Amino acid sequence: MAKRVVPEAARRRRRPTKQGQVLTHQLILETALRMLREHGAAGLTARRLGLALGADASTVYRYFRGMDDLILAIADELFGHAMAGWRPTGDWRADLRDLGLRIHHAYLAHPQAAVLTASRVTGRSNEVATDETILGILRGAGFPDADAVRIYHAFIDQSLAFSILDAATLALPKVARETDEEVWRETYARLPARTHPHIAATAPLLVACMNDSAYPTALDMLLSSASAQLRGGERP
Protein backbone atom coordinates (compact mmCIF):
# COMPACT_ATOMS: atom_id res chain seq x y z
CA MET A 1 0.00 0.00 0.00
CA ALA A 2 1.29 3.51 -0.84
CA LYS A 3 2.74 5.42 2.05
CA ARG A 4 0.89 8.47 3.32
CA VAL A 5 2.63 11.69 2.38
CA VAL A 6 2.94 14.08 5.30
CA PRO A 7 1.99 17.74 4.60
CA GLU A 8 4.96 20.03 3.94
CA ALA A 9 4.66 21.92 7.23
CA ALA A 10 4.56 18.71 9.28
CA ARG A 11 7.28 16.79 7.48
CA ARG A 12 10.03 19.43 7.57
CA ARG A 13 12.99 18.28 9.62
CA ARG A 14 13.44 20.05 12.94
CA ARG A 15 17.20 20.11 12.53
CA PRO A 16 19.56 20.37 9.53
CA THR A 17 20.98 17.31 7.78
CA LYS A 18 24.62 16.33 8.08
CA GLN A 19 25.33 18.79 5.27
CA GLY A 20 23.71 21.57 7.29
CA GLN A 21 20.61 21.79 5.08
CA VAL A 22 16.95 21.58 6.03
CA LEU A 23 15.21 19.08 3.78
CA THR A 24 12.55 20.37 1.40
CA HIS A 25 10.65 18.91 -1.53
CA GLN A 26 12.71 21.11 -3.89
CA LEU A 27 16.06 20.13 -2.39
CA ILE A 28 15.26 16.45 -2.84
CA LEU A 29 14.27 17.05 -6.48
CA GLU A 30 17.46 18.99 -7.21
CA THR A 31 19.59 16.32 -5.55
CA ALA A 32 17.81 13.56 -7.48
CA LEU A 33 18.42 15.41 -10.76
CA ARG A 34 22.10 15.75 -9.92
CA MET A 35 22.35 12.05 -9.08
CA LEU A 36 20.69 11.10 -12.36
CA ARG A 37 23.10 13.32 -14.25
CA GLU A 38 26.12 11.82 -12.50
CA HIS A 39 25.11 8.17 -12.08
CA GLY A 40 22.14 7.47 -14.36
CA ALA A 41 18.84 5.84 -13.47
CA ALA A 42 20.51 2.83 -11.86
CA GLY A 43 22.24 5.14 -9.39
CA LEU A 44 19.04 6.74 -8.11
CA THR A 45 17.79 4.77 -5.12
CA ALA A 46 16.27 5.89 -1.83
CA ARG A 47 19.37 4.74 0.03
CA ARG A 48 21.78 6.64 -2.20
CA LEU A 49 19.53 9.67 -2.24
CA GLY A 50 19.43 9.64 1.54
CA LEU A 51 23.22 9.46 1.69
CA ALA A 52 23.53 12.38 -0.76
CA LEU A 53 21.15 14.41 1.39
CA GLY A 54 22.85 13.45 4.64
CA ALA A 55 19.64 11.88 5.91
CA ASP A 56 18.14 8.45 6.43
CA ALA A 57 16.61 6.88 3.31
CA SER A 58 13.26 6.67 5.06
CA THR A 59 13.17 10.47 5.19
CA VAL A 60 12.57 10.57 1.42
CA TYR A 61 9.28 8.75 1.95
CA ARG A 62 8.01 11.58 4.11
CA TYR A 63 8.04 13.72 0.97
CA PHE A 64 7.21 11.17 -1.74
CA ARG A 65 5.00 8.08 -1.75
CA GLY A 66 7.78 6.06 -3.33
CA MET A 67 10.50 6.29 -5.94
CA ASP A 68 7.96 6.33 -8.77
CA ASP A 69 6.29 9.33 -7.14
CA LEU A 70 9.71 11.00 -7.13
CA ILE A 71 10.19 10.18 -10.83
CA LEU A 72 6.85 11.83 -11.66
CA ALA A 73 7.86 14.88 -9.65
CA ILE A 74 11.12 15.05 -11.64
CA ALA A 75 9.13 14.85 -14.89
CA ASP A 76 6.97 17.75 -13.75
CA GLU A 77 10.05 19.69 -12.64
CA LEU A 78 11.47 19.52 -16.17
CA PHE A 79 8.29 21.12 -17.51
CA GLY A 80 8.75 23.80 -14.87
CA HIS A 81 12.28 24.43 -16.14
CA ALA A 82 10.94 24.73 -19.70
CA MET A 83 8.25 27.26 -18.75
CA ALA A 84 10.37 29.35 -16.37
CA GLY A 85 10.41 32.97 -17.52
CA TRP A 86 8.44 32.27 -20.72
CA ARG A 87 6.22 35.09 -21.96
CA PRO A 88 3.89 35.00 -25.01
CA THR A 89 4.51 37.40 -27.87
CA GLY A 90 1.05 37.09 -29.44
CA ASP A 91 2.46 35.40 -32.55
CA TRP A 92 1.09 31.87 -32.21
CA ARG A 93 3.65 30.21 -34.46
CA ALA A 94 6.63 31.96 -32.83
CA ASP A 95 5.25 31.18 -29.37
CA LEU A 96 4.78 27.48 -30.13
CA ARG A 97 8.24 27.24 -31.68
CA ASP A 98 9.77 28.86 -28.62
CA LEU A 99 7.89 26.52 -26.29
CA GLY A 100 8.90 23.45 -28.28
CA LEU A 101 12.56 24.43 -28.21
CA ARG A 102 12.33 25.21 -24.50
CA ILE A 103 10.88 21.77 -23.73
CA HIS A 104 13.57 20.10 -25.83
CA HIS A 105 16.32 22.16 -24.17
CA ALA A 106 15.02 21.46 -20.66
CA TYR A 107 15.13 17.73 -21.26
CA LEU A 108 18.56 17.78 -22.90
CA ALA A 109 19.93 19.72 -19.93
CA HIS A 110 19.15 16.55 -17.92
CA PRO A 111 19.53 13.68 -20.42
CA GLN A 112 19.43 10.85 -17.89
CA ALA A 113 16.27 12.29 -16.34
CA ALA A 114 14.78 12.81 -19.81
CA VAL A 115 15.19 9.16 -20.79
CA LEU A 116 13.59 8.15 -17.49
CA THR A 117 10.64 10.58 -17.51
CA ALA A 118 9.71 11.82 -20.99
CA SER A 119 7.24 8.98 -21.60
CA ARG A 120 5.39 9.58 -18.31
CA VAL A 121 2.17 11.55 -17.76
CA THR A 122 2.15 13.27 -14.37
CA GLY A 123 -1.05 15.35 -14.24
CA ARG A 124 0.90 17.77 -12.03
CA SER A 125 0.97 21.54 -11.96
CA ASN A 126 3.82 22.33 -14.37
CA GLU A 127 2.75 19.73 -16.94
CA VAL A 128 -0.89 20.87 -16.75
CA ALA A 129 0.13 24.54 -17.06
CA THR A 130 2.21 23.72 -20.15
CA ASP A 131 -0.67 21.84 -21.78
CA GLU A 132 -3.09 24.66 -20.95
CA THR A 133 -0.70 27.19 -22.50
CA ILE A 134 -0.23 25.22 -25.73
CA LEU A 135 -3.95 24.63 -26.19
CA GLY A 136 -4.63 28.29 -25.39
CA ILE A 137 -2.20 29.41 -28.08
CA LEU A 138 -3.82 27.16 -30.68
CA ARG A 139 -7.41 28.08 -29.79
CA GLY A 140 -6.44 31.75 -29.63
CA ALA A 141 -4.96 31.49 -33.13
CA GLY A 142 -8.37 30.40 -34.43
CA PHE A 143 -8.03 26.63 -34.69
CA PRO A 144 -11.29 24.76 -34.04
CA ASP A 145 -11.11 22.66 -30.89
CA ALA A 146 -10.74 19.33 -32.70
CA ASP A 147 -7.83 20.68 -34.75
CA ALA A 148 -6.28 22.39 -31.73
CA VAL A 149 -6.23 19.06 -29.88
CA ARG A 150 -4.87 17.21 -32.92
CA ILE A 151 -2.03 19.72 -33.41
CA TYR A 152 -1.32 19.87 -29.68
CA HIS A 153 -1.07 16.06 -29.65
CA ALA A 154 1.41 16.04 -32.52
CA PHE A 155 3.34 18.99 -31.05
CA ILE A 156 3.86 17.57 -27.56
CA ASP A 157 4.53 14.02 -28.77
CA GLN A 158 7.08 15.30 -31.25
CA SER A 159 8.79 17.43 -28.58
CA LEU A 160 9.04 14.54 -26.13
CA ALA A 161 10.00 11.94 -28.75
CA PHE A 162 12.92 14.02 -29.97
CA SER A 163 13.84 14.77 -26.37
CA ILE A 164 14.10 11.04 -25.62
CA LEU A 165 16.03 10.36 -28.83
CA ASP A 166 18.52 13.18 -28.37
CA ALA A 167 18.83 12.65 -24.62
CA ALA A 168 19.60 8.96 -25.19
CA THR A 169 22.49 10.01 -27.40
CA LEU A 170 23.80 12.46 -24.81
CA ALA A 171 23.46 9.81 -22.09
CA LEU A 172 25.81 7.45 -23.95
CA PRO A 173 29.40 7.16 -22.71
CA LYS A 174 31.58 9.73 -24.46
CA VAL A 175 33.55 7.10 -26.39
CA ALA A 176 30.38 5.44 -27.73
CA ARG A 177 28.91 8.80 -28.74
CA GLU A 178 32.07 9.85 -30.58
CA THR A 179 32.27 6.46 -32.32
CA ASP A 180 28.69 6.79 -33.57
CA GLU A 181 29.37 10.31 -34.84
CA GLU A 182 32.43 9.12 -36.71
CA VAL A 183 30.37 6.62 -38.73
CA TRP A 184 28.97 9.37 -40.93
CA ARG A 185 32.46 10.54 -41.87
CA GLU A 186 34.21 7.19 -42.07
CA THR A 187 31.45 5.01 -43.56
CA TYR A 188 28.70 6.97 -45.26
CA ALA A 189 30.98 9.62 -46.76
CA ARG A 190 33.16 6.91 -48.33
CA LEU A 191 30.44 4.86 -50.01
CA PRO A 192 31.00 4.79 -53.81
CA ALA A 193 28.53 6.35 -56.22
CA ARG A 194 28.54 3.11 -58.23
CA THR A 195 26.77 1.18 -55.47
CA HIS A 196 25.14 3.97 -53.43
CA PRO A 197 24.53 6.88 -55.80
CA HIS A 198 22.07 8.77 -53.59
CA ILE A 199 24.15 8.57 -50.42
CA ALA A 200 27.30 9.51 -52.37
CA ALA A 201 25.58 12.52 -53.92
CA THR A 202 24.39 13.84 -50.58
CA ALA A 203 27.32 12.69 -48.41
CA PRO A 204 28.69 16.17 -47.59
CA LEU A 205 25.26 17.29 -46.47
CA LEU A 206 24.72 14.13 -44.43
CA VAL A 207 28.06 14.52 -42.68
CA ALA A 208 27.29 18.16 -41.93
CA CYS A 209 23.86 17.61 -40.39
CA MET A 210 23.26 14.04 -39.24
CA ASN A 211 25.02 14.39 -35.90
CA ASP A 212 22.76 17.31 -34.98
CA SER A 213 19.16 16.99 -33.83
CA ALA A 214 16.49 17.15 -36.52
CA TYR A 215 14.03 18.53 -33.99
CA PRO A 216 14.12 22.20 -35.08
CA THR A 217 13.47 21.13 -38.68
CA ALA A 218 10.69 18.74 -37.69
CA LEU A 219 9.13 21.42 -35.48
CA ASP A 220 9.18 23.96 -38.33
CA MET A 221 7.57 21.42 -40.65
CA LEU A 222 4.78 20.75 -38.14
CA LEU A 223 4.14 24.46 -37.63
CA SER A 224 4.21 25.12 -41.39
CA SER A 225 1.59 22.41 -41.87
CA ALA A 226 -0.57 23.91 -39.13
CA SER A 227 -0.14 27.40 -40.57
CA ALA A 228 -1.19 26.23 -44.04
CA GLN A 229 -4.25 24.60 -42.54
CA LEU A 230 -5.19 27.79 -40.73
CA ARG A 231 -4.85 29.85 -43.92
CA GLY A 232 -6.66 27.39 -46.15
CA GLY A 233 -9.24 26.12 -43.71
CA GLU A 234 -8.44 22.54 -44.65
CA ARG A 235 -6.77 19.72 -42.75
CA PRO A 236 -3.37 18.94 -44.36
Side-chain angles (χ1 to χ4, degrees), residues 90-93 96 134-144 230:
D91 180 332
W92 73 268
R93 181 167 174 167
L96 281 184
I134 295 168
L135 286 166
I137 291 171
L138 289 166
R139 296 182 76 234
F143 288 98
L230 191 62

Side-chain angles (χ1 to χ4, degrees), residues 46-76:
R47 184 183 67 81
R48 290 180 176 179
L49 184 55
L51 287 173
L53 291 164
D56 189 87
S58 63
T59 305
V60 175
Y61 295 107
R62 293 177 62 83
Y63 292 78
F64 300 94
R65 293 180 177 85
M67 292 304 291
D68 194 61
D69 190 40
L70 174 61
I71 296 304
L72 293 176
I74 291 171
D76 193 59

